Amino acid sequence: MTDLTGKTVLVTGGSRGVGEGIVRGLHGAGASVILNYTRSRERAEKIAAELGGGRCLALGAELDKPEQLVRLWNESVAWKGRVDVLVNNAATRPSVPIDADLETFDDGWNTTMKVNLIAPAHLTRLAIPHFRQNGIGIIINIASRPAFRGDRPEFFHDGASKGGLVSLTRGLARFFAKDNVLAYCVVPGMIQTDQLDEFVQHYGKGQAFDEIPLGGPGTPADIAEWVVFLSSGKARYATGATIDVNGASYLH
């Protein structure tokens, strides 16, 4: 059992799917968790109330707006006086066909990059001086398989944004290890969430599961297990590592 008692963790996009699983996993390990949400206020507050207001705080923020990211970070630090771990999990994935009109294509790519890559960069920029002051800090970025193997044409933007997140993680590990700032990238495969249900409805179960040697999708808890462990600081010498959690459906 990993004990995170006394640690405070900020999780973006924590109200559903993988993010909710991460929030629950961290809380179960003893951490105090800031559950960030964008539009799912009622759901986020319900989760926070269930877990207990003393160790789970729901904070809303539009992640494509830098001023709201600053507010999110400041309110997160103010809650317990510090943040020990930043988990950049929030992501958007609108379908943007390669032959979409100019406005649709540009808007889809820009919005995706702002939420999936630029928002983590802003939060990282805010976290680093805080971590330096505290003498240690951990950043865990949640990427995806398409960062390495590419995505379908209507989701090129998502794969590209997650590829950037991987590069950001590696740069952080290389140049801030001297400050005891650790960085990791967790890369889920097919995980049982509402998003996967939509994928199966559109493309079929075979497209989703046939290539998974373990025979089916993982669960949010499978991702949470890794986030909890990395949040403990016990993987210090593995900073910069990419952890694939995909049932062997993609290896690199």
Side-chain angles (χ1 to χ4, degrees), residues 8-12 32-36 59 72-73 76 83-88 123:
T8 302
V9 186
L10 167 59
V11 181
T12 65
S32 296
V33 187
I34 298 104
L35 185 171
N36 158 253
L59 288 179
L72 171 63
W73 177 258
S76 297
V83 169
D84 301 287
V85 183
L86 166 63
V87 182
N88 286 309
L123 289 171

Side-chain angles (χ1 to χ4, degrees), residues 79-140:
W79 183 44
K80 297 291 183 179
R82 61 185 288 152
V83 169
D84 301 287
V85 183
L86 166 63
V87 182
N88 286 309
N89 165 75
T92 187
R93 185 180 161 87
S95 177
V96 183
I98 199 71
D99 57 355
D101 63 76
L102 176 61
E103 183 177 357
T104 300
F105 190 86
D106 191 62
D107 181 64
W109 272 78
N110 277 308
T111 298
T112 299
M113 288 296 168
K114 285 180 179 179
V115 173
N116 297 8
L117 180 57
I118 298 174
H122 274 297
L123 289 171
T124 295
R125 178 184 68 85
L126 295 164
I128 286 175
H130 180 73
F131 290 162
R132 278 173 162 167
Q133 180 180 341
N134 293 340
I136 188 171
I138 298 171
I139 298 171
I140 303 170

Side-chain angles (χ1 to χ4, degrees), residues 4 7 14 36 74 95 118 147 154 169 182 206 229 233 240 247:
L4 300 181
K7 290 185 179 291
N36 158 253
N74 289 339
S95 177
I118 298 174
E154 60 268 38
T169 306
L182 312 177
F229 173 65

Side-chain angles (χ1 to χ4, degrees), residues 25-252:
L26 291 165
H27 184 273
S32 296
V33 187
I34 298 104
L35 185 171
N36 158 253
Y37 66 91
T38 299
R39 295 178 180 83
S40 304
R41 178 176 180 177
E42 183 176 347
R43 182 179 178 88
E45 292 181 345
K46 181 179 179 181
I47 295 169
E50 176 190 338
L51 297 181
R55 283 205 296 116
C56 187
L57 174 68
L59 288 179
E62 297 279 348
L63 300 189
D64 59 346
K65 295 179 171 57
E67 66 278 5
Q68 292 198 29
L69 291 168
V70 173
R71 176 182 56 76
L72 171 63
W73 177 258
N74 289 339
E75 290 182 358
S76 297
V77 171
W79 183 44
K80 297 291 183 179
R82 61 185 288 152
V83 169
D84 301 287
V85 183
L86 166 63
V87 182
N88 286 309
N89 165 75
T92 187
R93 185 180 161 87
S95 177
V96 183
I98 199 71
D99 57 355
D101 63 76
L102 176 61
E103 183 177 357
T104 300
F105 190 86
D106 191 62
D107 181 64
W109 272 78
N110 277 308
T111 298
T112 299
M113 288 296 168
K114 285 180 179 179
V115 173
N116 297 8
L117 180 57
I118 298 174
H122 274 297
L123 289 171
T124 295
R125 178 184 68 85
L126 295 164
I128 286 175
H130 180 73
F131 290 162
R132 278 173 162 167
Q133 180 180 341
N134 293 340
I136 188 171
I138 298 171
I139 298 171
I140 303 170
N141 292 321
I142 309 299
S144 64
R145 292 187 310 169
F148 297 97
R149 71 175 202 167
D151 210 335
R152 294 170 175 273
E154 60 268 38
F155 298 111
F156 278 166
H157 51 300
D158 181 53
S161 68
K162 293 307 181 72
L165 198 58
V166 173
S167 180
L168 173 62
T169 306
R170 294 174 177 177
L172 286 167
R174 289 187 62 206
F175 293 100
F176 291 95
K178 65 182 184 300
D179 299 310
N180 215 20
V181 175
L182 312 177
Y184 308 93
C185 195
V186 176
V187 186
M190 292 290 187
I191 303 297
Q192 192 61 64
T193 62
D194 292 344
Q195 187 179 84
L196 179 59
D197 291 341
E198 293 173 5
F199 183 94
V200 170
Q201 288 176 8
H202 190 79
Y203 295 105
K205 196 170 183 178
Q207 285 282 338
F209 303 153
D210 287 352
E211 63 183 22
I212 304 174
L214 278 180
T219 67
D222 290 319
I223 308 304
E225 292 276 2
W226 278 102
V227 174
V228 168
F229 173 65
L230 295 172
S231 296
S232 71
K234 294 179 180 179
R236 183 175 181 275
Y237 209 68
T239 187
T242 298
I243 295 98
D244 295 307
V245 191
N246 61 36
S249 64
Y250 178 69
L251 304 171
H252 63 94

